[in-house]
Amino acid sequence: MNWLLNILCILNFLISCTKAQQEYSANSVLNCNNKYETNYSCNGRNSTCQAFLIFRARNPYNSVPGIAALMSSNISEIARINNVTRLTFFTPEREVIIPVSCSCSGLYYQAKTMYYIPAPIETYFMIANGTYQGLSTCNALQRQNIYDEFNLRPGLELQVPLRCACPTAKQAAKGSKYLMTYSIDVGDDILKISKRFNVSVKHIVEANGFLNENPLLFPFTTILIPLPSEPSNLDTGNENYTKPVKSFSPPPAANFSRGKSKRNLYIVSGVATGFFLLLLVVFWVILLVFFKKRASEVPCEDILVEIANIDHVPKVFKFKELKHATLNFGSKNQIKGSVYRGVLKGEILAVKKAITDISKEVNMLHKINHFNVIKLCGYCEHKGSFFLVFEYMKNGSLREWLTKTKSRDTISWKKRIQIALDVANGLHYLHCFTNPGYIHKNINSRNILLDSNFRAKIANFSLAKETDTSGTTRKVVGTTGYMAPEYLETGSVTSKMDIYAFGVVLLELVTGKDAVIVEEGGETLLSVAVAAVMEGENAETVLDGFIEAHMREDDDLEIAFPVASLSLRCLTREPSNRPSMEEMVSCLLKIQVNVHKTEQPVRIETMDIGGV
Ligand SMILES: *[C@@H]1O[C@H](CO)[C@@H](O)[C@H](O)[C@H]1NC(C)=O
Ligand SMILES: *[C@@H]1O[C@H](CO)[C@@H](O)[C@H](O)[C@H]1NC(C)=O
Ligand SMILES: *[C@@H]1O[C@H](CO)[C@@H](O)[C@H](O)[C@H]1NC(C)=O
């Protein structure tokens, strides 16, 4: 079979040679399992050339230095061609022209760049489609990197081949000097794109081997746009172009406010932001003197605001401020218990009243900076009462969401697995990447909060302990249904107790049920009930019946069963037999890949051997 495919590929290559153009790969590039080469054939007049890419500015890749580093492009060149300064921050979704050097590597063109994995939750698909916006593909990434999908770890360096091409002799004869790789956006069609870049529809159709002038285009796949000259500043270059609705341009200063940039944080975890802000610090230090003299050109303080974010130094609030922000701790602003919603300087925050001394929690949280751990913005002491101010989590606790939401669409597997991964990543970070390491000691679905994008963050660190002070305690405190047997029996405190509790949270995500099931006959622990189900006869069918009705679906078991099995490993009685959080992250990633596969939309079966 393989030799046949090879022959077809070579045939395809020869045919595209004679046709002197590239074939649009349609949505086959979104399928990470297909074996076809996704880069453009090396069929141009020159084997090396200057090429251009269009990249949409998105946090944290929204500044000239940040984008240059991501794309291995030249800062000065990006600044020149986009007619901006070297330190410009772009408004979200602003299209940025990236000059790259394109060259043949074997039979295919590519522009080479490097990517350091910043966070533990990345997959090849996320890197290709999310970070690189379709300018690279998961196939190409898999082919050029030795790492297995499930061994992608923070800090690894990946080779990223970006899609580019050089004009063919025919195109050059027709006056096209450069090819620009453009990633299709939702709502794009050839006519719009042709107007946008002032290139004839005919040229675009020819360059991509389209059969007609209105071909089916798939978002996040690329097309080539032949250009007679260097592209110039997109925002001012063409009056005919009306910006798509979703591209908005707030006044430049607004773009730098903490609130705005925070909204985009879900794209890449906070770790990535930190990394790039660090890069910015370097630029800032070098250029500070320079820009002090020319402060009117680049808003210097705004860069400082971004840099201040790295530290996450919690602010000390005045009691008056908090009182005002929460409308005097009024019932209208009460979220739950002693937690209030407050608006401080236009930003929504959560204010938590604490009875006990909070210094331990404050000292701990200000050292912790992870996307999956709730961010402490500040605190306040007033006449013996203490207040903690946190980022506001719009969708409340995981428990509330599982209980309240009754629509099957909202509680999708995609969301549930993402939440599991978020918690696993947060715990992995707490256990292994902080110094000292921490044990949360009170992981449960009420202490896992969901932001506006249903991304999960671990909250309530009032019981947390440093790993090196772990040992045994006589005072057993925690939440019923989540406490590990060794902790209940001997007071033994290790990170394995968080893993046990995480196992229970996983079961809640599978079944929708609470950790303690209250029935007429009394109380049953969810962990005990599910273990009985899984060990009994017809486990799959019984498990299906056990899942709450509002969460049940026909193909549920394909995912429910493996997740339930995974959680039982966390619930193993012997602590040393429980998996580490690192192992959990990697298992959940595998499950996530399957979820995405089953949810993948249209697939074109002909794929790119269509040319034959
Ligand atoms: C590309 O090839 C043509 C013809 O072979 C040559 O004239 C031109 O200088 C080359 N361009 C570059 C950038 O090498
Ligand atoms: C690809 O990335 C875009 C954002 O750039 C996202 O909206 C889209 O859902 C992603 N595609 C898939 C299949 O996840
Ligand atoms: C668009 O391209 C044509 C040549 O194809 C050129 O004459 C015209 O000036 C261009 N318009 C703009 C606004 O760049």
Side-chain angles (χ1 to χ4, degrees):
M1 241 1 238
N2 261 346
W3 60 267
L4 186 65
L5 281 181
N6 284 339
I7 290 179
L8 286 179
C9 280
I10 292 167
L11 217 56
N12 185 35
F13 169 69
L14 292 176
I15 284 172
S16 39
C17 258
T18 51
K19 275 208 231 153
Q21 70 205 354
Q22 307 285 355
E23 296 290 330
Y24 177 52
S25 53
N27 65 351
S28 66
V29 292
L30 300 179
N31 177 358
C32 298
N33 296 322
N34 87 38
K35 295 279 185 292
Y36 309 104
E37 178 64 52
T38 49
N39 280 358
Y40 291 110
S41 308
C42 186
N43 64 1
R45 187 179 53 158
N46 302 39
S47 63
T48 301
C49 66
Q50 165 91 70
F52 298 93
L53 315 171
I54 295 289
F55 182 80
R56 297 183 179 93
R58 283 177 195 159
N59 199 349
Y61 308 108
N62 59 355
S63 65
V64 173
I67 295 173
L70 182 70
M71 298 300 201
S72 299
S73 183
N74 182 307
I75 295 182
S76 311
E77 278 294 286
I78 295 182
R80 180 185 64 81
I81 209 153
N82 291 283
N83 196 18
V84 295
T85 63
R86 292 160 53 97
L87 271 190
T88 299
F89 279 80
F90 296 103
T91 50
E93 298 303 313
R94 155 78 193 263
E95 289 178 339
V96 182
I97 305 163
I98 318 284
V100 292
S101 163
C102 187
S103 54
C104 289
S105 170
L107 295 178
Y108 301 91
Y109 280 117
Q110 58 168 269
K112 290 191 173 104
T113 183
M114 223 90 97
Y115 178 67
Y116 294 89
I117 302 180
I121 44 169
E122 304 243 338
T123 62
Y124 281 124
F125 182 81
M126 283 162 69
I127 295 167
N129 176 69
T131 307
Y132 284 95
Q133 306 176 2
L135 296 172
S136 187
T137 66
C138 44
N139 277 294
L141 284 171
Q142 277 164 349
R143 197 168 293 122
Q144 296 215 349
N145 293 283
I146 52 170
Y147 312 107
D148 184 54
E149 171 98 297
F150 306 114
N151 288 323
L152 295 182
R153 298 202 191 300
L156 280 186
E157 178 189 284
L158 297 183
Q159 309 277 339
V160 180
L162 299 168
R163 309 184 81 187
C164 63
C166 301
T168 59
K170 200 170 139 197
Q171 278 170 329
K174 283 190 179 171
S176 298
K177 275 217 184 96
Y178 306 102
L179 291 174
M180 182 161 72
T181 312
Y182 175 80
S183 182
I184 303 288
D185 203 358
V186 179
D188 272 339
D189 59 47
I190 296 294
L191 189 64
K192 258 193 209 166
I193 295 168
S194 99
K195 280 197 184 139
R196 170 99 178 78
F197 297 104
N198 193 25
V199 174
S200 78
V201 168
K202 192 162 154 272
H203 281 177
I204 297 180
V205 165
E206 279 175 5
N208 296 280
F210 290 131
L211 298 175
N212 60 56
E213 297 199 344
N214 193 11
L216 185 57
L217 296 179
F218 297 89
F220 324 119
T221 64
T222 64
I223 62 167
L224 291 171
I225 299 175
L227 300 171
S229 58
E230 268 195 355
S232 57
N233 186 7
L234 295 174
D235 269 358
T236 54
N238 193 337
E239 290 107 83
N240 290 342
Y241 172 68
T242 44
K243 270 180 160 292
V245 188
K246 74 175 230 212
S247 307
F248 55 95
S249 349
N255 185 27
F256 302 115
S257 78
R258 297 173 75 163
K260 276 260 161 58
S261 52
K262 214 163 53 190
R263 244 172 262 163
N264 285 322
L265 260 182
Y266 68 95
I267 300 173
V268 177
S269 86
V271 178
T273 319
F275 176 75
F276 266 95
L277 290 179
L278 214 67
L279 261 179
L280 286 176
V281 173
V282 175
F283 281 106
W284 170 67
V285 168
I286 294 168
L287 294 165
L288 184 63
V289 181
F290 175 69
F291 278 107
K292 255 193 176 154
K293 284 183 194 142
R294 308 172 59 184
S296 56
E297 259 183 57
V298 174
C300 219
E301 313 91 273
D302 295 326
I303 295 165
L304 284 173
V305 168
E306 293 280 355
I307 292 164
N309 278 345
I310 304 172
D311 263 1
H312 285 302
V313 181
K315 190 173 172 243
V316 182
F317 287 99
K318 291 201 189 81
F319 181 65
K320 236 170 75 187
E321 278 178 289
L322 297 187
K323 213 170 128 185
H324 183 73
T326 57
L327 303 180
N328 206 9
F329 295 98
S331 56
K332 244 179 136 179
N333 278 40
Q334 188 174 27
I335 299 172
K336 214 178 170 203
S338 55
V339 186
Y340 295 82
R341 189 173 168 280
V343 182
L344 276 147
K345 298 208 175 94
E347 202 175 346
I348 305 179
L349 296 165
V351 181
K352 185 181 168 186
K353 218 170 171 171
I355 321 150
T356 52
D357 187 357
I358 50 164
S359 54
K360 206 183 90 196
E361 208 170 338
V362 170
N363 277 335
M364 173 187 171
L365 281 174
H366 102 168
K367 276 183 271 177
I368 292 177
N369 179 14
H370 190 271
F371 180 71
N372 300 120
V373 174
I374 192 95
K375 191 172 122 198
L376 178 71
C377 306
Y379 56 94
C380 163
E381 191 192 341
H382 176 71
K383 293 186 180 162
S385 337
F386 300 91
F387 301 88
L388 292 166
V389 182
F390 292 102
E391 62 180 313
Y392 178 67
M393 299 295 279
K394 186 163 175 254
N395 282 305
S397 76
L398 174 60
R399 184 68 257 157
E400 283 167 336
W401 182 61
L402 288 175
T403 314
K404 276 192 204 151
T405 320
K406 291 299 179 205
S407 145
R408 189 57 184 68
D409 288 343
T410 356
I411 302 196
S412 64
W413 270 117
K414 212 165 148 183
K415 275 203 195 100
R416 284 190 266 167
I417 297 298
Q418 184 61 59
I419 290 169
L421 261 170
D422 282 341
V423 180
N425 274 313
L427 279 176
H428 181 38
Y429 172 81
L430 285 177
H431 291 170
C432 305
F433 291 114
T434 58
N435 187 18
Y438 286 102
I439 303 163
H440 185 279
K441 282 191 70 190
N442 198 10
I443 289 294
N444 66 56
S445 55
R446 286 165 183 83
N447 286 340
I448 292 162
L449 305 181
L450 305 175
D451 73 5
S452 54
N453 295 304
F454 293 96
R455 297 300 300 268
K457 299 183 194 232
I458 301 170
N460 193 357
F461 285 76
S462 55
L463 297 183
K465 251 191 140 52
E466 294 178 5
T467 40
D468 42 14
T469 61
S470 62
T472 57
T473 173
R474 267 190 236 146
K475 203 172 119 207
V476 170
V477 282
T479 308
T480 315
Y482 297 92
M483 284 183 279
E486 75 278 4
Y487 178 63
L488 280 172
E489 288 159 14
T490 66
S492 149
V493 176
T494 66
S495 61
K496 295 291 183 185
M497 68 185 288
D498 282 348
I499 291 165
Y500 184 93
F502 178 72
V504 180
V505 172
L506 273 186
L507 289 184
E508 294 182 66
L509 282 167
V510 172
T511 64
K513 286 191 174 9
D514 206 343
V516 181
I517 306 167
V518 185
E519 281 165 346
E520 279 169 37
E523 290 183 349
T524 321
L525 296 189
L526 179 63
S527 51
V528 175
V530 175
V533 168
M534 300 289 281
E535 280 154 20
E537 278 176 24
N538 294 329
E540 299 209 357
T541 329
V542 183
L543 179 67
D544 196 29
F546 194 73
I547 295 173
E548 287 284 297
H550 69 279
M551 301 180 66
R552 216 176 289 161
E553 207 181 64
D554 294 347
D555 60 355
D556 251 357
L557 282 178
E558 275 174 41
I559 299 152
F561 202 76
V563 179
S565 314
L566 194 58
S567 73
L568 289 190
R569 288 184 54 206
C570 301
L571 300 174
T572 311
R573 199 177 160 79
E574 172 56 43
S576 60
N577 289 342
R578 290 177 207 147
S580 68
M581 266 299 142
E582 188 180 11
E583 204 181 319
M584 290 304 287
V585 169
S586 119
C587 293
L588 284 165
L589 275 173
K590 287 181 203 180
I591 293 172
Q592 187 182 48
V593 170
N594 286 332
V595 173
H596 280 269
K597 254 188 234 158
T598 55
E599 286 187 7
Q600 217 167 46
V602 221
R603 244 196 81 196
I604 291 228
E605 290 301 333
T606 47
M607 289 193 263
D608 52 0
I609 50 164
V612 180

